[in-house]
Amino acid sequence: MSCDTDIVRYFESRRINQYRSPGERDERNDLLVENNCFKCDGGDHREVYHVTELPSSAAEDYAISTEFPPAQPGGPVQNVILLSSYNSDSRRFDDESTFNVPYLYYGSMHGTVDTRTWVTSVQDFRYGSEFNDSLCYTTTHNGGILVWDPDVDVNDDRIVSRISVSQCGGWDYEVGSVDIGGELGDVHRAVVLEGGSDSFSDLDSIQIDNRLLFYSNNTMGLMICDISKPDAPQHIWQWDCDTRPCEESSQGGDWDWHGAGNMDDDTIDQAEPGSYAARTFGIGVAYFVPEESPPPPTIHVYLAGGIDGLRLLNFSEFLNPFGVNMDGESNFDDFSIDIYDSYIVDEEEMQAFDLQTFSEDGDTYVFTSWKMSTQYGVEGPIGLTVHLDEDVVCD
């Protein structure tokens, strides 16, 4: 989405109503959408990726993820989070300050890559008295996850911590016109599971709210980090996608795809539909904590895994983030992965792309978008499925 186009499409209807009177609708009674509501002063911008509302304690109202091209040919791209406010008189966003996110160094490639800020979410941490207000975490494409403080004015001091991805690099592989590769270490979506609280009397009764961060890492699959202490995140566990690249050296070193989760034998044959790269993108989480224990809490994580479809991972026996008061212990050998659903249009096996969960009246719904190809610019059918997970009763 360009800065010069319909940036306010991100607004939900209730937010648009904050800036328009109820009578400003078109002939179909739809709310009107403003064009060109964001003009940044930092130069020739590229694209606006995401806009989020900041906590009330922050100096500015919104965080806008964008990027600027190199100041000189061959120079670095500027990865930027603009801290902005909305001017209801001019109906435009005014960028108050600029948060330049630095590149991330990867020893495997002996260099840095542009971070590319993406989606920002606000997270309320409680970790003693060190962080009294809400922090933000931003998925940063090549740079993993960035935890930062919107209340800090100095650019470098805003960064609380960074969670780097397992692997970085650009790598694509095509079979005919079907793109089945992707950028390794590509992070766009993340969700937080908010667990219980613990008080530590030996540490001046410091109290910590348990927080587990789940994020999808394109061809690398699912990553889990403990961000209970936002300035010291800990890697917990990861699950690789069921498909990954392999090399058959006897055939001249050509790359091919072989399902890592479905190896019937050791041969590497031509990839069949359904064994292409998973390209995990969308992610969601739902949980239910019973009032009495046992049984343990129900924890479900959903992944939109490209050609692998919509996956359901059951961590109910695997994780125990809700505190020591729950009976029983976590069983780190007991988690399950189910192919939740696939989607076919005119014999074309669609790829699961993005995902959101919604809970209401004790029910959990999983919304998943589908595309013919997850490669940008490829035309074809798109779809949307809605699933009811009856095993997670959310209130």
Side-chain angles (χ1 to χ4, degrees), residues 213-278:
L213 176 73
F214 299 80
Y215 64 97
S216 56
N217 190 0
N218 204 358
T219 54
M220 298 301 293
L222 166 70
M223 307 289 172
I224 305 177
C225 285
D226 188 336
I227 56 171
S228 303
K229 296 174 61 177
D231 57 343
Q234 298 292 317
H235 177 80
I236 297 298
W237 189 76
Q238 74 180 64
W239 172 77
D240 292 336
C241 298
D242 276 1
T243 50
R244 65 182 69 182
C246 299
E247 184 177 11
E248 179 54 72
S249 57
S250 62
Q251 301 297 325
D254 293 334
W255 287 94
D256 203 350
W257 291 104
H258 193 278
N262 186 25
M263 288 185 174
D264 296 329
D265 51 47
D266 293 330
T267 62
I268 301 177
D269 301 319
Q270 179 62 34
E272 298 292 337
S275 61
Y276 296 151

Side-chain angles (χ1 to χ4, degrees), residues 13 16 20 22-33:
S13 296
I16 298 179
R20 284 187 172 276
E24 292 184 279
R25 295 174 177 264
D26 61 17
E27 63 277 5
R28 296 178 300 177
N29 202 34
D30 292 333
L31 287 169
L32 296 176
V33 176

Side-chain angles (χ1 to χ4, degrees), residues 66-67 77-81 99-103 114-117:
T66 185
E67 64 181 8
V77 174
Q78 298 181 55
N79 309 287
V80 175
I81 298 177
F99 177 19
N100 292 313
V101 180
Y103 282 26
D114 52 324
T115 300
R116 303 192 67 188
T117 58

